[in-house]
Amino acid sequence: DQQVKQNSPSLSVQEGRISILNCDYTNSMFDYFLWYKKYPAEGPTFLISISSIKDKNEDGRFTVFLNKSAKHLSLHIVPSQPGDSAVYFCAASLSGGYQKVTFGTGTKLQVIP
Amino acid sequence: DTAVSQTPKYLVTQMGNDKSIKCEQNLGHDTMYWYKQDSKKFLKIMFSYNNKELIINETVPNRFSPKSPDKAHLNLHINSLELGDSAVYFCASSHQTGPNTGELFFGEGSRLTVL
């Protein structure tokens, strides 16, 4: 049972425009959400996160929005740059106890120059 | 200096063989993990150790045996390799103190191909 879902396997965006990556989750107990970025032949790297007590977190060009009632989060990248081309993984975890992070299947973003 | 390093990066072997993948982290973290990314790109946790103690053990065949000699190292040994074991295996570490943030630091991955 996949508790974190990214239904778009790929996305293409023009340089300078906004990229919006979406993620849905099914486990209402999740209370911390993260985005990871992965380049080919490298491991995922942490990008941005949000606690369930917030609905928005911003870090430079990256903003994550959380809609708890819809069990949905999204990552906005503005403006998109060619170097942002990568696979983006949505992830979720439960606070308390040990960090068992559940990942989605990823969305491959291509930013076209 | 690489924070989380895995060896080997590539491993090609025959069915039925036994192989090991090693992982070391120099971040001073107290928790380490093994994740498996299969052909469908699904990144799934296998094991987690905290200060050499096994804390997460997902439904993984007992042919897979993790070993943590100290908190900076977590090795993965696989017996009697099967075709379905072909995947990329990622080691990761995290700092356990404080609130659970889920921020993991990953190695570059070890691509295992079983022929």
Side-chain angles (χ1 to χ4, degrees):
Chain A
D1 178 33
Q2 203 171 327
Q3 297 184 64
V4 179
K5 300 177 184 179
Q6 294 176 256
N7 292 320
S8 298
S10 63
L11 175 68
S12 286
V13 171
Q14 286 289 132
E15 181 179 2
R17 307 294 281 267
I18 184 171
S19 295
I20 300 176
L21 294 93
N22 293 304
C23 176
D24 297 295
Y25 61 96
T26 57
N27 188 344
S28 57
M29 299 296 289
F30 286 139
D31 55 7
Y32 210 86
F33 304 90
L34 311 96
W35 286 92
Y36 283 78
K37 178 178 179 179
K38 184 184 181 302
Y39 292 117
E42 294 184 12
T45 55
F46 170 73
L47 185 59
I48 191 170
S49 62
I50 187 167
S51 163
S52 60
I53 62 173
K54 295 184 176 182
D55 54 20
K56 176 182 174 181
N57 189 27
E58 201 169 344
D59 183 2
R61 297 184 298 112
F62 302 90
T63 302
V64 56
F65 295 92
L66 175 63
N67 182 335
K68 280 198 306 182
S69 60
K71 295 194 185 71
H72 178 84
L73 64 154
S74 61
L75 175 69
H76 292 208
I77 307 173
V78 183
S80 301
Q81 299 174 354
D84 296 330
S85 297
V87 176
Y88 289 79
F89 288 96
C90 173
S93 69
L94 295 162
S95 64
Y98 293 104
Q99 298 185 12
K100 181 178 172 182
V101 181
T102 301
F103 286 82
T105 48
T107 296
K108 184 174 183 178
L109 173 66
Q110 182 184 20
V111 179
I112 303 164
Chain B
D1 260 355
T2 305
V4 181
S5 59
Q6 302 177 222
T7 54
K9 285 190 172 44
Y10 300 96
L11 189 52
V12 180
T13 189
Q14 300 286 332
M15 273 177 53
N17 285 350
D18 303 338
K19 290 294 177 186
S20 293
I21 307 172
K22 295 185 176 182
C23 180
E24 175 182 4
Q25 55 95 4
N26 62 6
L27 297 167
H29 289 161
D30 42 22
T31 306
M32 295 184 71
Y33 311 78
W34 278 110
Y35 275 81
K36 177 181 180 181
Q37 186 179 35
D38 59 23
S39 57
K40 295 180 181 177
K41 306 302 181 187
F42 191 33
L43 197 61
K44 190 172 180 184
I45 190 167
M46 299 173 68
F47 302 102
S48 177
Y49 271 74
N50 177 261
N51 280 321
K52 302 193 296 175
E53 182 184 346
L54 181 65
I55 54 171
I56 295 174
N57 184 352
E58 291 296 287
T59 309
V60 177
N62 57 15
R63 298 182 294 103
F64 290 78
S65 52
K67 291 274 192 310
S68 182
D70 56 62
K71 74 174 192 177
H73 295 84
L74 180 62
N75 303 323
L76 182 65
H77 189 76
I78 315 171
N79 289 326
S80 304
L81 279 157
E82 298 177 358
L83 293 176
D85 298 331
S86 296
V88 181
Y89 292 85
F90 287 99
C91 177
S93 71
S94 71
H95 209 24
Q96 196 54 49
T97 57
N100 179 356
T101 64
E103 185 176 344
L104 306 176
F105 293 77
F106 283 88
E108 292 183 333
S110 297
R111 181 177 291 276
L112 171 65
T113 303
V114 182
L115 302 175

